[in-house]
Amino acid sequence: MTIRAGGSRSILIADGIRSAAFRTPSKVAITESGRSLTYTALVERIDRVANLTHAPAADGGLGLAKGEYAAIQCRNRLEYLEIVAGLSSAGVGAAQIGPAAAPPELRFICEDSRARVLFVDPELAEAARAAVPPSVERVIVVGPEYESLIARAATTPCPVEVTEHDIFSLPYTSGATGRPKGVKLAHRGRVLACYAMASEHGCYGPDDRAVATTPMFHGAGFLMALVPVFFGGAVEIMPRFDIERLLATIESFQATSAYMVPTHFAALFALGTKADRYRLGTLKSVISGTAPLAQAMKARIIERFGEGKLYERYGTTETNIATVLRPNDQLRKIACVGLPLPATHVQVLDDDGWPVERGEVGELAVASPYLFAGYHNLPEQTARAMRGDWFVTGDLARQDDEGYVYLVDRKNDMIISGGENVYPREVEEILLEHPAIAEAAVVGLRHEYWGEAVTAFIVLRAGMNVAADELAQACRARLAPYKVPKSIRVVGALPRNSMGKILRRSLRDAG
Ligand code: AMP
């Protein structure tokens, strides 16, 4: 087992794992579907991947140089972390592709990142081989082929000098507006995020155990698998989300934390009393993020898991985690995402880029050492997203007199109906208070008279019903008339991406 060569004072994403391997070499670090890796095995495999990456082709290596990218298209699996940590220990960033990416998306990311190598899951290999551009010289299937390659690679320290400012991964934004953008994430920001999470959530020490449920190709999903092992704890990786499997795993693994996106909580409550059979008392922290968590749901989460455990986080791929609403504030601060993380600063800006008065709505900007290092090969887009040291998020927000941040909505999701601004979230929160409604999304559909007509799409709880009139009345009682949905449509499910974010564009297009 090796420590990093060169005596660098930089800190890399694998360094916490390496020191845990000194402290607890035979402890199991990662488990997935009954497979496991001890810390010694994990570090050895990271070093093998690093040496495979760096070694010239003549020596059986991939011959990738520092500063290049390699692509990875895998579902959550045991090997995901070692591949990303190994590549980046050789100075090569991982261009991350979602398992459900369509062929043109896979091709685009491979071309954009100029990846010459793609690591892929066995069940995705055939489709990937058919889709990769000619610039990808090698497709490595994670399984026997990958095992035989790393078995031949050295376990000595990889001789490449890597600093904390080098890029370790390149997740792609979903591309809701235009083409996906590669978000350059450096070791330093991610490591600092690990420390901030440990201090905020109190569930990432060496004795803690976490369950990683969200896709690791996403910035937050990867972090949730990394942080437990960075500090020498243990993580169970779930290949895909299944609420009963998650609950059973929390119980059997005696997990001390779980990260769940709002749709996971919706799935939990849809189980009804079936959920009562799982003992979840080991959980110290239940963390929600990536999409709005309706206030109506928070009380139910606290009732199910107990007080003092629920954290809600807000961030973007570019900012890393930016704010956290801590347990004591969950019911005190309504529809709020909390206070900035340590060493994070937030500002609410008007359309000209000047700070608004406290309490007014504007665009949220974030400055911190956790920020991304720019969009890959897109200097103009990077410059447009930054105002000096501040990343302008595209989220509309306000702050209260204690500095707490309230997200109003995505700027692009705001509806303009009859010349008035309508924030979908405000309407959704009211709909979600109704006991018959499991999920709600409000969008503006093109309309001759209104410009955009406020339209609600709702998913009903199993076995329940509600009249559209009753809902409209509930909205009228609390909202200005122009915000009340002009129509309410019942659907079987809302279109969402793998992180649980509602795909509003699909709703608008289908409407
Ligand atoms: P991504 O870069 O894919 O992680 O998406 C970031 C976006 O997710 C943010 O700009 C927000 O619009 C949204 N988001 C993240 N966390 C929250 C949250 N706690 N509440 C509401 N929206 C959120």
Side-chain angles (χ1 to χ4, degrees):
M1 202 254 306
T2 50
I3 55 165
R4 206 150 34 84
S8 155
R9 288 182 183 232
S10 281
I11 185 156
L12 309 185
I13 58 154
D15 285 347
I17 304 173
R18 291 178 193 281
S19 61
F22 276 107
R23 298 192 295 175
T24 50
S26 54
K27 175 175 173 173
V28 171
I30 308 183
T31 45
E32 180 254 310
S33 310
R35 303 188 298 150
S36 63
L37 286 175
T38 63
Y39 273 100
T40 302
L42 176 58
V43 169
E44 189 184 303
R45 289 169 71 86
I46 290 172
D47 286 332
R48 285 183 187 277
V49 173
N51 284 308
L52 170 73
T53 304
H54 171 67
D59 296 336
L62 302 174
L64 301 182
K66 183 178 165 183
E68 278 195 82
Y69 291 100
I72 174 168
Q73 187 192 30
C74 287
R75 62 179 168 81
N76 284 6
R77 57 183 301 142
L78 195 71
E79 296 87 350
Y80 204 117
L81 197 59
E82 78 199 20
I83 295 173
V84 176
L87 287 168
S88 64
S89 295
V92 171
Q96 294 171 289
I97 306 172
E105 196 183 340
L106 178 130
R107 203 171 308 129
F108 173 82
I109 295 178
C110 289
E111 279 174 347
D112 187 60
S113 64
R114 301 203 185 99
R116 292 192 284 132
V117 174
L118 169 71
F119 292 85
V120 69
D121 261 333
E123 64 263 34
L124 303 173
E126 203 185 316
R129 276 213 182 87
V132 286
S135 49
V136 172
E137 296 159 11
R138 186 141 191 197
V139 175
I140 298 173
V141 182
V142 183
E145 182 188 358
Y146 167 79
E147 289 300 327
S148 76
L149 281 173
I150 63 167
R152 276 182 265 137
T155 57
T156 46
C158 179
V160 179
E161 184 65 39
V162 183
T163 81
E164 63 192 14
H165 298 290
D166 289 321
I167 305 305
F168 83 93
S169 81
L170 190 70
Y172 277 75
T173 57
S174 50
T177 49
R179 80 174 195 50
K181 299 190 283 285
V183 182
K184 292 194 287 184
L185 300 181
H187 288 267
R188 179 180 151 85
R190 196 38 49 112
V191 167
L192 287 173
C194 287
Y195 281 97
M197 274 176 61
S199 80
E200 280 293 309
H201 300 314
C203 58
Y204 293 114
D207 299 322
D208 284 306
R209 293 166 303 282
V211 189
T213 51
T214 42
M216 290 172 73
F217 77 91
H218 186 270
F222 185 80
L223 186 59
M224 301 322 290
L226 171 68
V227 66
V229 291
F230 188 89
F231 294 111
V235 66
E236 164 90 23
I237 307 239
M238 291 191 58
R240 53 185 65 82
F241 174 74
D242 173 309
I243 184 61
E244 291 217 51
R245 186 162 165 192
L246 171 63
L247 298 177
T249 305
I250 291 171
E251 180 174 341
S252 61
F253 194 55
Q254 303 204 309
T256 53
S257 73
Y259 178 70
M260 293 166 73
V261 298
T263 41
H264 296 172
F265 293 109
L268 168 68
F269 295 123
L271 280 182
T273 52
K274 248 171 128 189
D276 297 343
R277 73 168 85 122
Y278 300 100
R279 279 169 306 178
L280 311 174
T282 50
L283 287 174
K284 295 197 260 185
S285 310
V286 177
I287 305 161
S288 174
T290 79
L293 185 60
Q295 189 66 32
M297 202 176 252
K298 290 189 178 181
R300 303 182 72 193
I301 296 171
I302 293 168
E303 198 182 317
R304 158 86 36 201
F305 291 99
E307 281 189 16
K309 297 184 180 182
L310 177 63
Y311 294 81
E312 183 178 357
R313 294 197 323 214
Y314 158 76
T316 71
T317 309
E318 294 88 342
T319 58
N320 236 311
I321 304 160
T323 69
V324 177
L325 185 70
R326 299 178 57 78
N328 288 344
D329 290 326
Q330 290 296 340
L331 301 179
R332 186 173 82 91
K333 299 279 183 182
I334 305 302
C336 173
V337 290
L339 292 167
L341 232 59
T344 295
H345 307 277
V346 297
Q347 269 189 325
V348 179
L349 305 175
D350 67 17
D351 286 343
D352 299 321
W354 298 104
V356 299
E357 296 287 327
R358 267 284 157 94
E360 280 179 19
V361 173
E363 199 170 352
L364 192 69
V366 178
S368 82
Y370 314 91
L371 286 194
F372 74 140
Y375 295 116
H376 178 60
N377 279 342
L378 293 171
E380 279 170 25
Q381 302 251 26
T382 307
R384 225 175 299 143
M386 300 295 297
R387 212 158 268 141
D389 288 336
W390 297 82
F391 173 73
V392 186
T393 60
D395 287 307
L396 295 174
R398 63 182 173 82
Q399 281 182 287
D400 69 12
D401 49 10
E402 292 181 291
Y404 282 70
V405 177
Y406 298 76
L407 286 192
V408 177
D409 233 311
R410 291 284 307 160
K411 201 173 179 182
N412 291 334
D413 291 336
M414 192 180 76
I415 302 166
I416 303 181
S417 188
E420 302 277 6
N421 295 348
V422 181
Y423 301 117
R425 177 146 185 211
E426 190 187 358
V427 187
E428 289 162 9
E429 289 276 352
I430 290 174
L431 294 171
L432 286 166
E433 283 177 19
H434 195 285
I437 296 186
E439 297 177 54
V442 171
V443 299
L445 296 188
R446 223 167 297 138
H447 190 279
E448 257 181 43
Y449 180 74
W450 296 108
E452 287 182 298
V454 179
T455 307
F457 292 82
I458 57 169
V459 179
L460 294 173
R461 271 189 223 293
M464 299 190 86
N465 225 324
V466 60
D469 268 2
E470 184 189 335
L471 287 178
Q473 219 168 348
C475 292
R476 268 196 296 273
R478 309 257 299 276
L479 295 169
Y482 63 89
K483 297 180 183 175
V484 175
K486 300 278 183 295
S487 76
I488 298 176
R489 304 186 190 177
V490 178
V491 290
L494 293 178
R496 291 183 186 268
N497 71 10
S498 58
M499 292 299 281
K501 289 186 211 286
I502 298 170
L503 300 170
R504 289 173 195 275
R505 197 167 46 174
S506 309
L507 284 175
R508 281 192 291 262
D509 291 349

